[in-house]
Amino acid sequence: MEVTQTKAEGLSRTFAVKVPVSELQAKLDARIEEVRPQMRLKGFRPGKVPASHVRQMYGRDLMGEVIDKLVNETNQKALEENSLRPAGQPNVEMEADIEKVVTGQADLSYNMHVDVMPEFTPVDVSTLTIERPVAEIADEQIDEALKRIAEQNTKFEARPEGEVSQDGDAVIVDFVGKIDGVAFDGGTAEQQAVVLGSNRFIPGFEEQLFGVKAGDEKELNVSFPEDYPSADLAGKAAVFETKVHEVRAPQTPEIDDEFAKGLGLESLEQLRGLVKDQLQNEHNAASRSKAKRNLLDKLDAAHDFDLPPGMVNMEFDQIWQQLQREMDAGRVSDEEKAKPEDELKAEYRKIAERRVRLGLVLAEVGRLADVRISEAEVNQALIREARQYPGQEREVVQFFQKNPGAMAQLRAPIYEDKVVDHILETAKVEDKTVTREELFKEDEE
């Protein structure tokens, strides 16, 4: 077997590999002897099938196995002997005619291309100073949160007879929708509650129910939006014949001990405490997110080394495909749409390079600090993932267990978070008091 390095440019390496026919045949003979005792073929006693017959019947398939195993072993040996850490799976490019190789007429020869991990020393994280924005929780925030909870528990009570509907009221109606005098599918309902001002119905529907009272009958003239999901209705004018059964006024509960007890708590004080704890958790998560962003910016600025081209290309392809999906769905700003494709690609390649660089730095920091994740942590993440697909939990778990790549993607963010936590515990973290609005303001990419 001959393994020769033929190219070393940056982080890219190429090796020429040659395995003579004689070595392939020897390994094929050994493989035949390995499987022959287990063979059961008609006309032969168990385990007594002649090697020549096995070669004639299964030689081609067995040689394929030999070649696959030999290629993997050779690639691994080349990396180990040259002390190289691969940055991805090696790419094999056959030089020989594989048909002749399989049939024993030619040597096995191929080129193995691989990107290797860069050699660098990460910054001493204890020398970093990280800014962490924090915001205090004011009583006004708790009051606002309690108000939202009360509004979510709003009940509607019938208005006195003869009173007309107002903004926020629930109007109970029967209706039949017609286009050109013909009722259409999905346009009929009975005892339907329409909350005025909720904007849950097509434009004009709720507005025309302002000022109605129990017993009224009214025709509502509306037009379906041009982008309405049903193509049969989009852009068409319709008439809804409605009958009002009842007008109900919203009754928001008083925020007191009785309200708290209605939620299963002991007192308003306990409810305020729970709300404060929830707000604090939200603040803590936002503070950590901002601190992590500041940390990543510091790590990015502190490192400059060559990146494995394959890793950058793979990351860029994922980002670019996501951008295309966002564009197709109309979720991209006009400014972004107006940029030439070359300019966009240059911008997103820089983002890809940043992500790869930071991934390598975090991985190296974690390796040096011996950061590890437990199986319990992975299992918890797997359970959380499975719960997102009710009724298919077992299939989701089995998918991850059978797909190492998917499991690796599940483990990656857990590991990254643990490395970030390690750095935040090691670095100097300075808290900066900000407003709640500043704390939750989105960062630009």
Side-chain angles (χ1 to χ4, degrees):
M1 180 188 303
E2 299 176 11
V3 180
T4 307
Q5 181 171 295
T6 59
K7 175 184 174 183
E9 296 180 359
L11 296 177
S12 296
R13 301 287 186 274
T14 299
F15 294 87
V17 180
K18 185 175 182 180
V19 183
V21 171
S22 57
E23 186 171 343
L24 290 173
Q25 291 301 316
K27 288 185 177 294
L28 176 59
D29 291 341
R31 179 59 178 151
I32 290 174
E33 288 304 313
E34 183 181 344
V35 302
R36 201 164 62 87
Q38 288 82 41
M39 283 205 159
R40 302 289 186 270
L41 293 180
K42 188 176 181 180
F44 298 95
R45 285 181 297 165
K48 299 300 182 179
V49 182
S52 59
H53 190 73
V54 175
R55 181 186 294 272
Q56 180 181 354
M57 295 286 293
Y58 304 106
R60 186 185 185 88
D61 292 338
L62 292 175
M63 179 61 91
E65 292 180 14
V66 167
I67 292 173
D68 286 343
K69 183 178 180 182
L70 194 58
V71 167
N72 290 330
E73 290 176 350
T74 304
N75 290 348
Q76 186 62 34
K77 182 180 179 182
L79 295 171
E80 291 175 354
E81 289 183 348
N82 290 275
S83 300
L84 300 176
R85 288 192 297 154
Q89 288 295 321
N91 179 34
V92 172
E93 179 184 320
M94 285 291 171
E95 288 286 309
D97 184 334
I98 194 64
E99 182 66 26
K100 290 184 178 181
V101 175
V102 170
T103 56
Q105 302 175 56
D107 297 336
L108 171 64
S109 59
Y110 68 90
N111 291 317
M112 186 261 283
H113 307 280
V114 65
D115 287 346
V116 298
M117 299 291 280
E119 297 293 335
F120 67 95
T121 301
V123 65
D124 180 355
V125 295
S126 66
T127 65
L128 297 178
T129 300
I130 309 301
E131 183 178 277
R132 177 171 57 196
V134 295
E136 294 183 359
I137 298 173
D139 288 340
E140 291 79 7
Q141 290 175 241
I142 300 176
D143 292 339
E144 289 175 4
L146 289 173
K147 182 179 178 182
R148 288 194 295 272
I149 294 174
E151 290 173 348
Q152 291 167 2
N153 286 270
T154 294
K155 296 181 180 179
F156 291 89
E157 297 182 1
R159 284 190 177 277
E161 185 177 351
E163 279 197 13
V164 299
S165 61
Q166 303 176 22
D167 189 17
D169 284 357
V171 180
I172 313 303
V173 298
D174 295 343
F175 61 75
V176 177
K178 297 181 179 180
I179 294 178
D180 296 331
V182 179
F184 56 87
D185 290 342
T188 301
E190 294 183 355
Q191 296 291 319
Q192 175 70 51
V194 181
V195 179
L196 305 186
S198 66
N199 296 318
R200 294 178 58 188
F201 288 77
I202 60 175
F205 192 99
E206 295 173 21
E207 291 82 348
Q208 295 179 61
L209 289 175
F210 277 76
V212 299
K213 61 183 181 299
D216 283 355
E217 295 184 3
K218 187 173 184 179
E219 289 188 350
L220 313 181
N221 293 283
V222 298
S223 292
F224 284 93
E226 294 291 343
D227 59 353
Y228 194 71
S230 173
D232 293 336
L233 302 177
K236 293 185 178 179
V239 176
F240 283 86
E241 299 172 354
T242 64
K243 180 178 180 180
V244 181
H245 290 287
E246 193 174 22
V247 176
R248 299 174 183 173
Q251 299 294 324
T252 303
E254 291 291 329
I255 303 174
D256 52 20
D257 285 340
E258 289 303 314
F259 175 62
K261 290 177 181 178
L263 297 175
L265 304 175
E266 295 180 357
S267 63
L268 177 59
E269 182 180 359
Q270 184 185 18
L271 176 58
R272 289 185 68 89
L274 291 174
V275 169
K276 184 175 182 180
D277 289 344
Q278 182 179 0
L279 291 172
Q280 188 63 62
N281 289 337
E282 293 174 1
H283 280 215
N284 292 345
S287 291
R288 184 188 183 282
S289 178
K290 288 292 179 74
K292 177 180 177 180
R293 177 59 184 255
N294 185 252
L295 162 63
L296 295 179
D297 288 344
K298 292 287 180 69
L299 290 178
D300 189 42
H303 298 89
D304 184 17
F305 51 82
D306 289 340
L307 302 173
M311 293 183 73
V312 174
N313 289 337
M314 186 178 299
E315 185 67 32
F316 171 77
D317 288 343
Q318 291 179 352
I319 295 174
W320 189 253
Q321 289 171 12
Q322 178 62 32
L323 177 65
Q324 297 304 307
R325 288 193 291 269
E326 295 294 313
M327 283 186 168
D328 292 342
R331 292 192 293 264
V332 175
S333 67
D334 292 337
E335 180 184 358
E336 198 88 334
K337 291 178 183 177
K339 292 180 180 178
E341 185 174 290
D342 289 346
E343 183 180 340
L344 271 180
K345 285 187 173 181
E347 289 180 8
Y348 283 98
R349 181 162 289 277
K350 287 183 179 179
I351 293 174
E353 290 172 351
R354 170 187 164 96
R355 290 183 181 178
V356 171
R357 183 182 303 108
L358 289 173
L360 293 174
V361 170
L362 289 173
E364 187 65 8
V365 170
R367 186 183 70 84
L368 295 174
D370 197 27
V371 174
R372 302 183 185 186
I373 55 178
S374 67
E375 286 305 310
E377 290 171 314
V378 176
N379 288 335
Q380 288 173 2
L382 182 54
I383 290 171
R384 287 194 298 270
E385 182 72 19
R387 283 176 177 168
Q388 296 184 35
Y389 303 89
Q392 304 177 49
E393 291 87 349
R394 182 187 296 274
E395 290 83 354
V396 172
V397 171
Q398 290 176 345
F399 170 78
F400 278 93
Q401 291 174 340
K402 294 178 180 178
N403 291 272
M407 188 62 80
Q409 289 184 345
L410 190 70
R411 296 170 67 95
I414 305 173
Y415 183 77
E416 178 180 301
D417 280 342
K418 293 197 75 169
V419 175
V420 169
D421 287 339
H422 161 72
I423 297 176
L424 292 176
E425 291 169 1
T426 307
K428 181 181 179 182
V429 179
E430 297 180 345
D431 288 343
K432 176 186 177 183
T433 301
V434 298
T435 64
R436 176 179 171 84
E437 289 71 23
E438 291 174 315
L439 180 61
F440 286 92
K441 182 180 179 181
E442 290 188 9
D443 291 319
E444 296 181 359
E445 179 65 48

